[in-house]
Structures are given as C-alpha cells and as structure tokens.
Amino acid sequence: MLDLTKKQETLKLVLAKRKVPDALKLAVKVTTDVSGSIAGYFRNGTMDELFNRLIPIGIRFDDNGSVESYSFSSTAKRLSDIDINAAGTYGQTVQKESQKAGNLWGGTDYTNALKAVKADLGSGGGVMFGFMKKKP
C-alpha cells in the first residue's frame, strides 16, 4: 500500500486555507475511461498517478469513506469501491475488473457511464444531475 499521509495533510491545509467546512460530505463517485484510446495511460503509469491524487480527495469528502467506482468504454460497469487501501494499485484493479466485465479497451461511450451513475443515485439525482432538471 502506498502511504498517502503527506497528500492527505496537504489536502487538509489547502481546504482549511480555502475555508472549506470540515463537515462537508458528499457521495463521491468516479468513472474511469477504459476505452482503447486510454490504454497507453494505464501502461505508462499516468492512471495510477491520477488515482493516487484522487483517493485522498475522494475519501475526504465521501460520506462513507470510500468512493464508488465505475469503468466505461462501449458499456459501463460498477467496480469495487476505492478506499485508502487501494492507493498505488487501483489502476490495476480497474483493468482486471473491467477485463472480467468485458468492457476493457472498447469504444468510448460517455452516456453509459452517466446512466450507470445516475441509476445508482436513484431518483434524487444528486448535485451532478440536479442542474439538468427543468424548473418552472
């Protein structure tokens, strides 16, 4: 496991400086593109670095301390949650679980990713989808 203590402390200082309330909690969800065009970023470690930056932020704000995760290419699939123990290895987890689900290195369809997240949110829709609702 990668030690993210320094990143967590830096995040805490940045949030305090910007006066972000400690009590702010959200249902954090991440969708990861696993289409063919992104394969090189998994191979060269860019995606691992992205997850290592994302994990402390997501866990800090998530309401249950783990981030719900999805992968998408031609289809979208729910993956295992991201928690602090995933640091350093989540890029591999995404590839393995996406391969098993049959959606690794396909085409790119953002719509399926958004639909999967929205379906999990239920009728509430959350902040992300709240702006899409028409108001009188």
Side-chain angles (χ1 to χ4, degrees):
M1 178 177 86
L2 181 67
D3 184 7
L4 297 178
T5 306
K6 185 175 179 180
K7 289 185 181 198
Q8 288 174 314
E9 290 301 317
T10 302
L11 174 63
K12 188 175 182 177
L13 292 171
V14 168
L15 295 174
K17 183 178 178 181
R18 297 199 173 139
K19 297 179 173 70
V20 175
D22 285 336
L24 180 63
K25 293 294 180 186
L26 307 165
V28 179
K29 300 179 185 293
V30 63
T31 58
T32 303
D33 184 347
V34 292
S35 64
S37 61
I38 203 85
Y41 294 109
F42 276 95
R43 281 193 298 272
N44 71 15
T46 300
M47 295 304 292
D48 286 326
E49 180 58 29
L50 174 67
F51 286 119
N52 291 339
R53 290 179 184 202
L54 169 81
I55 289 170
I57 297 168
I59 290 171
R60 157 57 181 86
F61 287 108
D62 196 78
D63 57 351
N64 67 1
S66 65
V67 177
E68 289 79 19
S69 178
Y70 306 79
S71 67
F72 71 94
S73 60
S74 302
T75 61
K77 301 295 178 183
R78 178 79 159 78
L79 306 177
S80 60
D81 290 355
I82 304 172
D83 62 18
I84 198 67
N85 297 318
T89 62
Y90 201 73
Q92 296 167 18
T93 301
V94 168
Q95 289 181 77
K96 287 176 189 173
E97 291 185 16
S98 297
Q99 177 73 38
K100 186 177 178 180
N103 75 328
L104 187 63
W105 315 142
T108 308
D109 189 338
Y110 298 100
T111 306
N112 288 329
L114 292 172
K115 285 179 181 177
V117 171
K118 187 171 183 185
D120 279 355
L121 287 171
S123 61
V127 173
M128 180 176 155
F129 292 101
F131 74 92
M132 295 176 164
K133 295 178 182 173
K134 294 184 178 184
K135 297 186 180 187

